[in-house]
Amino acid sequence: MRDFRIVFAYEFRTQLTKKTTVTVTAVLMAVMLLVTFLPRILGAFDSGAAGGPGEYARAMDPAAGYAFGGETARAQVLPALSAAESQVYPGRDALVAALRAKDIEIGYVIRDDLSYEAIYLDRSMTDTRDAQMGGLLSSIKRDRAVRDMGLSAERYAEISMLEAQGETTVLGRNSGSNYFLAFGMMLAVYMMVLLYGNGVSTVIAREKDSRTMEVLITSTRPAPLIIGKVAAAGLAALVQFGAVILVTVIGYQLNRASYPAMVAAMLSGTLTTSYVLTFAFFSFFGFVLYLFLFAALGSTVSKMEDLPGATALIQFLFVFAYLLATFAAQMPAGSAAILGSLIPFTSIMVMPIRSGMMTVPWAELLVSGALMLLFVAFFAYLSIKIYRWGTLNYGNKTRLARIVREALRRER
């Protein structure tokens, strides 16, 4: 226990005082604090003005050109567009010529019946200006029909506001509101595993490369060394990301009144006790599992330049877990999602995202949790044996399967 405390204290202090750790933590805290203040900042620039009935709040598009099929269309539509006279062309051919000359990005041919044609030279995937024009012309057409029927704009607005009253009750999970928050938390775990996993394997590989491992192994047993390093990295990660989460919560509480009601509803619906406990359990023990894997592979290399190749398999496995989780978010009750949430290597990602998208049966949670604890215990034992094997083997590259066989065959 004394050896464990010494190793743990040294590694924990080293992890928290590294410049990269301090810098990354400070940047993440600043970014998340700024994000929580965005609704208040944006609200300060919102004048809150709204157009009355029959008015059109349409910003002028200086990159658009217009051609009208008659004076009726011109008189009704042009004032709502707030367009300059220079943007009006005599006909469709003139619009096409302007588009080919790249004087404008989009052209509209608007007819007297308020039907239209939107013309692009090239159109990006995110360009929706043609649909916006359709919405504007539809509004004008409806208002014209209202006037023809003898209704006032105020009366039409009252009729338009009539809605059926209803409510929606979700007994389990509301995947629509949980999706983005669950993915955000999953990305935090993704960063934490890769950052600290690579850190643990680098420390062990550097000790072996510099022959420091030989000195360490003569003064203490492999178990306190490995467990101490993993425990220190795990606690350092909790401190680092806990600080980021704490700043986020404080920022949200300070600006809570500025957030839309749907955001508060989303958070209250997502951050239930069962979801938080599920996320905490699988994220923490899955994180510890990967730390032991990185530690084991870090002790198999004799030179620092061999480390990326040694840990490539684990990184590929973890990236696969992330990709499987993105698939499980779309089909949380599918066979692939269920299987991925049971296998410990992937359940670190898949089970939290599934529990955010649906109500996971207790049997699956218990089986997956038991497997996770079993794998953590086994790979902790295996990493200690491989670390011991690594102290006696330098220079020779060996296949991973052979390393595992030899490590398990050795006497303690």
Side-chain angles (χ1 to χ4, degrees):
M1 183 59 70
R2 175 179 174 275
D3 293 338
F4 167 79
R5 288 199 302 268
I6 294 174
V7 173
F8 172 80
Y10 173 77
E11 294 292 343
F12 181 66
R13 184 171 60 252
T14 301
Q15 288 280 0
L16 288 186
T17 55
K18 286 193 301 186
K19 289 184 178 180
T20 54
T21 302
V22 174
T23 302
V24 170
T25 304
V27 169
L28 288 176
M29 292 173 68
V31 169
M32 294 308 299
L33 187 62
L34 177 62
V35 169
T36 60
F37 273 83
L38 279 179
R40 175 172 291 188
I41 295 172
L42 295 175
F45 293 97
D46 186 7
S47 62
E55 298 178 0
Y56 308 101
R58 294 288 187 271
M60 183 182 73
D61 184 357
Y66 308 93
F68 297 97
E71 287 302 319
T72 301
R74 182 187 181 103
Q76 289 185 330
V77 178
L78 191 57
L81 294 172
S82 301
E85 287 293 333
S86 60
Q87 293 178 257
V88 179
Y89 292 82
R92 187 181 189 281
D93 293 339
L95 274 180
V96 172
L99 284 167
R100 295 192 184 280
K102 297 188 177 179
D103 295 332
I104 57 176
E105 297 175 1
I106 183 172
Y108 301 99
V109 179
I110 304 173
R111 307 175 187 94
D112 277 346
D113 62 354
L114 297 185
S115 63
Y116 72 101
E117 177 188 7
I119 310 171
Y120 289 92
L121 180 62
D122 296 300
R123 182 184 183 186
S124 68
M125 294 177 60
T126 58
D127 196 325
T128 60
R129 285 178 290 183
D130 54 342
Q132 293 172 5
M133 174 57 74
L136 171 63
L137 295 178
S138 297
S139 298
I140 296 174
K141 195 168 186 177
R142 283 194 296 268
D143 283 357
R144 188 170 69 178
V146 167
R147 288 194 298 271
D148 292 343
M149 294 170 61
L151 292 176
S152 65
E154 291 77 8
R155 179 56 180 162
Y156 173 68
E158 292 176 3
I159 296 173
S160 300
M161 292 296 292
L162 295 176
E163 296 180 354
Q165 300 298 316
E167 61 183 22
T168 301
T169 302
V170 180
L171 298 178
R173 298 284 191 267
N174 186 349
S175 60
S177 62
N178 295 357
Y179 185 85
F180 294 104
L181 184 60
F183 253 97
M185 298 173 73
M186 187 181 72
L187 283 174
V189 175
Y190 182 86
M191 293 173 56
M192 188 168 63
V193 169
L194 290 184
L195 179 64
Y196 281 92
N198 282 302
V200 168
S201 62
T202 299
V203 168
I204 294 176
R206 186 177 290 116
E207 289 176 353
K208 189 173 181 181
D209 188 22
S210 62
R211 300 279 178 166
T212 306
M213 182 184 286
E214 296 179 1
V215 178
L216 291 173
I217 205 68
T218 59
S219 58
T220 186
R221 295 174 62 85
L225 287 171
I226 287 292
I227 297 177
K229 292 176 186 295
V230 169
L235 184 58
L238 292 180
V239 171
Q240 181 183 18
F241 284 88
V244 175
I245 293 173
L246 179 61
V247 166
T248 304
V249 172
I250 292 174
Y252 171 72
Q253 292 297 334
L254 291 175
N255 301 280
R256 190 170 184 174
S258 304
Y259 281 77
M262 62 175 295
V263 175
M266 180 187 71
L267 292 175
S268 63
T270 302
L271 297 177
T272 60
T273 302
S274 61
Y275 174 73
V276 171
L277 291 177
T278 301
F279 174 84
F281 178 87
F282 286 95
S283 297
F284 176 75
F285 286 103
F287 174 52
V288 172
L289 172 63
Y290 273 95
L291 287 182
F292 278 121
L293 291 174
F294 274 104
L297 293 177
S299 59
T300 63
V301 301
S302 299
K303 299 178 181 179
M304 284 296 299
E305 53 265 30
D306 296 333
L307 183 60
T311 58
L313 177 62
I314 300 303
Q315 297 196 42
F316 172 80
L317 181 61
F318 188 61
V319 170
F320 173 76
Y322 174 81
L323 295 176
L324 184 59
T326 60
F327 175 78
Q330 307 299 325
M331 300 180 62
S335 300
I338 295 174
L339 183 62
S341 65
L342 295 177
I343 300 174
F345 298 120
T346 54
S347 64
I348 178 179
M349 289 287 187
V350 179
M351 184 59 84
I353 204 75
R354 279 192 69 210
S355 64
M357 298 294 106
M358 62 173 288
T359 302
V360 181
W362 277 105
E364 294 181 17
L365 287 171
L366 293 175
V367 171
S368 182
L371 288 174
M372 176 66 80
L373 294 176
L374 182 63
F375 269 58
V376 169
F378 172 75
F379 281 98
Y381 170 78
L382 182 62
S383 65
I384 294 170
K385 303 294 284 184
I386 292 177
Y387 184 86
R388 175 63 179 168
W389 174 91
T391 61
L392 304 176
N393 291 270
Y394 282 83
N396 297 324
K397 291 185 178 180
T398 309
R399 290 183 302 175
L400 182 60
R402 182 181 175 187
I403 292 174
V404 173
R405 286 198 304 269
E406 293 185 2
L408 292 177
R409 195 166 52 234
R410 291 181 179 276
E411 296 291 334
R412 290 189 177 182

